[in-house]
């Protein structure tokens, strides 16, 4: 059996990739994908713990997280469209009506 | 099959049903009749407020202890209901002028309120997460609901990105805590923490710190504050008021229940980060507020500074900090909401005036708005005998009594610093001329009512705080 730590390291790595993606990418869609990557890394952590602790709770959480991630993606894409209509651009660096 | 007790869900369900009814009625009402939807929403909120009074003192839980109805939850439910009702009152006129769909607006405010009520009642990290997202997603949409405005969309985008990013951290923290303790239920987690303090796995502390980062994002503490000014400035003004009051109160409610109360055994691990966070949040919030040209943006930075004062109460810890935290949130609700409501009264829809210049002469053109704004500014700055003074007094007193003298001194100095930018508004209103036009009572009667209520609350809590203090004490003691 693959030991627990391997799963934890893998999911930490995926989470870190997601965080870096949110910080450095210049396209809102890719940023949204990076956020999804972060959430899925968390899902992996939950599943791994659930398996090794022998408790079902972690697996239940994953379903909730997936549902919430879907809702979040819907709202996020709608907001991206609304921004795109005003600016014709998906570059977060160009969002300067309000200075960061 | 054990007995299913649904009473603890009553307040949340009441608000949720009202939201659904509003959405449904929205389909049948014609354009001109939609004003009724505001009244339906207010009726639902009033019913729910009645329920919270009726349920006051109960100590019941539902769904295997996942949702807890105690005085703590009821206290915060009342704050959320008040904030939602004032938001609806103050936006009736605004959203008609900005051509925002009324049904959706009220329904989203109510959905967000449902999430907040559950957040204050959550005894399980899964329920907390779901409640947080129910609230956050509704507020993301509310921020961007004025689609004709580029600023509103941009604010929604920034809020969404930062919010979802913070959710990732929060959730990762929950996952690590689950892995370390084997449960997502707060009672079981705290039992584990108390019973076996030796064999905490290393990632438990990591999880707790990630949770802390997530919370710091949500309340807008420095250095996780950079979204606050942009989002507060771009969002429709009534929504900004709602965010600065209710969303902040909800985040602090969950913070108090989860980190301060249930995870208290971890106190020593985050005492220092929290201490640093409190100091830089107060100081940076105030310093940056001074240099702002826009009043709305100044209030955003000032809300960061106030988050700093609230963090002081969290540093102080459960024994001394609980009551001041709740009381401060109550006082802050009235004064911050009132300040944003006065800006709403000024806001023309096209280029929203929120510069200091736009406030010039307001005290003469609209004596009531001028007086109310003066009251809110003085209260936010912490002048006696207003609510802000009472709130700050108890927070700093608790810091002194518990031996955090440095925090109290820095807090008081910061509070002095904040007088500079709050008084600038008053100076503009009474000593300069030729600012923007405000709305008269006849144009926006409900807005005036909301401002009047907020002003009354600010005065009442400042002059006669005893009852509210007792109320906060009972609420905090009900945590088990």
């Amino acid at each position: 059996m693959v030991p627990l730590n391997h799963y934890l390291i893998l999911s930490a790595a995926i989470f870190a990739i997601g965080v870096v993606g949110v910080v450095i990418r210049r396209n809102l869609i890719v940023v949204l994908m990076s956020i999804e990557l972060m959430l899925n890394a968390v899902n992996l952590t939950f599943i791994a713990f659930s398996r090794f602790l022998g408790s079902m709770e972690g697996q239940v959480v994953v379903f909730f997280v997936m549902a919430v991630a879907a809702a979040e993606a819907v709202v996020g894409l709608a907001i991206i469209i609304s921004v795109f209509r005003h600016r014709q651009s998906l570059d977060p660096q160009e969002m300067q009506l309000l200075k960061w | 099959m054990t007995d299913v007790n649904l009473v603890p869900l009553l307040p949340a369900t009441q608000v949720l049903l009202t939201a659904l009814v509003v959405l449904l009625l929205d389909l049948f009402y014609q354009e001109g009749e939609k004003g009724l939807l505001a009244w339906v929403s207010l009726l639902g909120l009033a019913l729910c407020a009645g329920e919270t009074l009726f349920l006051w003192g109960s100590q019941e839980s539902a769904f295997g202890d996942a949702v807890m109805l105690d005085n703590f939850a009821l206290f915060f439910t009342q704050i959320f209901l008040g904030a939602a009702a004032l938001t609806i009152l103050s936006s009736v006129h605004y959203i008609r002028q900005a051509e925002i769909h009324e049904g959706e607006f009220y329904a989203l405010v109510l959905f967000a309120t449902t999430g907040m009520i559950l957040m204050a009642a959550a005894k399980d990290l899964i329920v907390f997460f779901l409640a947080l997202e129910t609230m956050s997603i509704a507020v993301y949409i509310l921020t961007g609901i004025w689609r004709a405005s580029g600023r509103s969309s941009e604010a929604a985008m920034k809020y969404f990105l930062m919010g979802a990013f913070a959710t990732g951290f929060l959730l990762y923290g929950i996952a690590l805590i689950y892995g370390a303790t084997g449960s997502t239920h707060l009672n079981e987690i705290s039992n584990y923490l108390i019973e076996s303090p030796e064999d905490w796995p290393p990632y438990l502390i990591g999880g707790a710190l990630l949770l802390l980062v997530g919370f710091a994002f949500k309340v807008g503490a420095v250095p996780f504050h950079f979204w606050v000014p942009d989002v507060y400035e771009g969002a429709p003004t009534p929504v900004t008021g709602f965010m600065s009051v209710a969303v902040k109160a909800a985040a602090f409610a969950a913070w108090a229940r989860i980190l301060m109360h249930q995870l208290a055994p971890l106190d020593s691990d985050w005492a220092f980060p929290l201490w640093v966070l409190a100091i830089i949040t107060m100081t940076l919030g105030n310093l940056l507020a001074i240099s702002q040209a826009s009043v709305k943006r100044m209030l955003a930075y000032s809300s960061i500074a106030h988050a700093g004062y609230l963090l002081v109460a969290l540093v102080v810890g459960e024994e001394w900090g609980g009551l001041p935290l709740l009381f401060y949130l109550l006082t802050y609700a009235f004064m911050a909401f009132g300040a944003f409501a006065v800006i709403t009264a000024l806001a023309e829809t096209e280029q929203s005036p929120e510069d200091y210049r736009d406030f010039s002469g307001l005290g003469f053109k609209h004596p009531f708005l001028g007086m109310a704004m003066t009251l809110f500014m003085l209260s936010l700055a912490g002048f006696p005998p207003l609510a802000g003074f009472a709130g700050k007094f108890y927070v700093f007193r608790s810091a002194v009594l518990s031996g955090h003298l440095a925090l109290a001194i820095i807090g008081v100095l910061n509070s002095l610093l904040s007088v500079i930018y709050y008084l600038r508004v008053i100076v503009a209103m009474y000593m300069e001329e030729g600012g923007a036009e405000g709305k008269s009572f006849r144009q926006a009667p409900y807005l005036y009512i909301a401002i009047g209520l907020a002003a009354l609350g600010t005065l009442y809590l400042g002059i006669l705080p005893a009852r509210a203090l007792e109320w906060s004490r009972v609420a905090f003691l009900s945590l088990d």
Side-chain angles (χ1 to χ4, degrees):
Chain A
M1 204 156 108
V2 187
L4 173 64
N5 279 344
H6 291 201
Y7 287 107
L8 293 186
I9 291 166
L10 175 67
S11 60
I14 297 177
F15 189 82
I17 294 171
V19 172
V20 172
V22 172
V23 175
I24 67 167
R25 290 307 294 260
R26 291 287 197 82
N27 183 312
L28 289 175
I29 304 280
V30 181
V31 171
L32 195 62
M33 284 161 59
S34 303
I35 289 174
E36 296 291 312
L37 205 57
M38 286 166 67
L39 293 182
N40 281 317
V42 175
N43 281 347
L44 190 60
T45 315
F46 268 118
I47 297 273
F49 277 132
S50 174
R51 181 89 172 77
F52 281 85
L53 292 168
S55 96
M56 286 304 287
E57 251 174 319
Q59 315 223 7
V60 177
V61 179
V62 170
F63 281 111
F64 282 121
V65 174
M66 273 159 39
V68 166
E72 227 171 40
V74 169
V75 170
L77 287 171
I79 293 175
I80 289 178
I81 290 173
S82 150
V83 169
F84 187 75
R85 284 207 181 123
H86 283 284
R87 314 201 55 79
Q88 313 298 324
S89 156
L90 284 178
D91 187 345
Q93 303 287 322
E94 282 179 29
M95 300 202 300
Q96 292 189 340
L97 276 181
L98 309 157
K99 51 182 192 268
W100 271 104
Chain B
M1 191 66 197
T2 49
D3 55 330
V4 180
N5 181 7
L6 291 177
V7 174
L9 288 174
L10 192 58
T13 321
Q14 169 72 47
V15 178
L16 182 66
L17 278 180
T18 313
L20 294 177
V21 168
V22 168
L23 273 185
L24 206 65
L25 287 179
D26 185 39
L27 288 177
F28 295 105
Y29 282 169
Q30 301 301 315
E31 244 353 282
E33 313 166 330
K34 298 210 174 177
L36 269 175
L37 295 174
W39 295 111
V40 175
S41 319
L42 287 175
L43 184 71
L45 291 173
L47 274 177
C48 184
E51 284 156 17
T52 60
L53 291 179
F54 178 71
L55 290 169
W56 186 258
S58 55
Q59 189 87 20
E60 294 180 69
S61 62
F63 299 127
D65 275 350
V67 178
M68 184 79 194
L69 187 84
D70 44 19
N71 283 347
F72 180 84
L74 288 169
F75 174 88
F76 275 103
T77 304
Q78 284 160 348
I79 293 188
F80 303 146
L81 292 174
L86 287 177
T87 306
I88 289 171
L89 271 180
S90 69
S91 52
V92 169
H93 187 79
Y94 185 93
I95 57 178
R96 215 169 284 161
Q97 213 178 20
E99 292 178 347
I100 294 167
H101 294 290
E102 291 175 51
E104 281 92 332
F105 184 90
Y106 300 136
L108 282 167
V109 170
L110 295 170
F111 282 135
T113 311
T114 311
M116 290 167 191
I117 293 174
L118 282 173
M119 233 169 120
K123 270 288 241 189
D124 189 298
L125 290 173
I126 307 179
V127 176
F128 159 67
F129 168 69
L130 288 175
L132 174 77
E133 286 302 296
T134 310
M135 173 190 83
S136 297
I137 291 177
V139 180
Y140 300 150
I141 307 174
L142 276 175
T143 308
I145 200 163
W146 186 7
R147 285 188 304 167
S149 153
R151 284 146 52 102
S152 176
S153 310
E154 196 177 305
M157 187 75 248
K158 287 176 177 171
Y159 192 28
F160 169 75
L161 286 182
M162 286 303 121
F165 192 54
T167 302
F169 283 98
L170 204 72
L171 204 56
Y172 202 32
I174 294 177
L176 292 181
I177 289 177
Y178 164 69
T181 62
S183 174
T184 56
H185 193 279
L186 285 167
N187 281 351
E188 284 170 39
I189 293 174
S190 63
N191 282 344
Y192 172 89
L193 292 178
I194 293 165
E195 278 161 18
S196 49
E198 285 80 37
D199 43 55
W200 289 354
Y203 43 79
L204 175 67
I205 305 302
L209 288 177
L210 280 169
L211 208 58
L212 190 68
V213 170
F215 270 114
F217 253 113
K218 292 284 173 192
V219 301
V222 179
F224 310 104
H225 69 290
F226 38 82
W227 58 272
V228 177
D230 286 359
V231 173
Y232 278 28
E233 189 188 349
T237 314
V239 176
T240 311
F242 187 59
M243 280 199 292
S244 83
V245 170
V247 173
K248 185 164 283 182
F252 273 109
W255 194 328
R257 192 194 280 274
I258 296 175
L259 297 192
M260 195 175 178
H261 181 71
Q262 300 272 10
L263 301 185
L266 292 171
D267 260 353
S268 55
D269 290 299
W270 57 48
F272 182 67
L274 203 56
W275 188 80
V276 174
L277 216 59
I279 289 181
I280 55 174
T281 304
M282 286 190 287
T283 314
L284 218 66
N286 276 317
L287 286 177
L288 290 170
I290 294 176
S291 60
Q292 298 306 316
S294 143
V295 173
K296 209 171 165 188
R297 221 174 154 81
M298 176 275 276
L299 282 174
Y301 279 108
S302 105
S303 99
I304 296 175
H306 283 275
Y309 304 140
L310 287 160
L311 286 174
V312 170
L314 288 175
V315 175
V316 167
E318 228 190 317
E319 195 184 346
W320 291 101
L323 180 153
L325 178 76
L326 266 59
F327 183 67
Y328 196 99
L329 280 168
L330 186 66
T331 58
Y332 181 72
F334 284 107
M335 53 198 189
F337 184 85
F340 283 112
V342 174
I343 299 183
T344 313
L346 273 187
E348 308 290 320
T349 6
E350 284 312 312
Q351 27 109 292
S352 35
E354 50 219 22
D355 269 24
Y356 283 99
R357 259 177 285 121
D358 295 312
F359 280 80
S360 300
L362 186 73
F364 305 114
K365 275 180 285 184
H366 296 281
F368 176 77
L369 290 182
M371 293 276 285
M373 194 63 174
T374 309
L375 195 70
F376 298 137
M377 289 297 119
L378 291 179
S379 177
L380 283 167
F383 280 88
L386 299 168
F389 171 75
K392 275 189 189 140
F393 174 75
Y394 285 102
V395 167
F396 295 143
R397 193 180 80 121
S398 72
V400 172
L401 288 179
S402 64
H404 292 82
L405 202 59
L407 266 185
I409 292 172
I410 295 174
V412 172
L413 288 178
N414 262 304
S415 183
L416 283 178
L417 199 62
S418 71
V419 174
I420 302 174
Y421 55 83
Y422 289 129
L423 285 189
R424 255 179 85 192
V425 178
I426 301 178
V427 169
M429 285 193 303
Y430 287 101
M431 300 185 185
E432 290 165 21
E433 279 177 7
E437 272 307 308
K439 296 188 187 95
S440 67
F441 176 76
R442 212 163 283 194
Q443 281 169 309
Y446 304 128
L447 180 57
Y448 272 71
I449 293 173
I451 294 174
L453 288 173
L456 276 182
T458 309
L459 275 174
Y460 173 74
L461 288 176
I463 297 169
L464 300 166
R467 249 186 107 174
L469 276 169
E470 175 60 17
W471 197 36
S472 325
R473 197 183 62 82
V474 172
F476 198 78
L477 286 181
S478 75
L479 283 178
D480 72 316

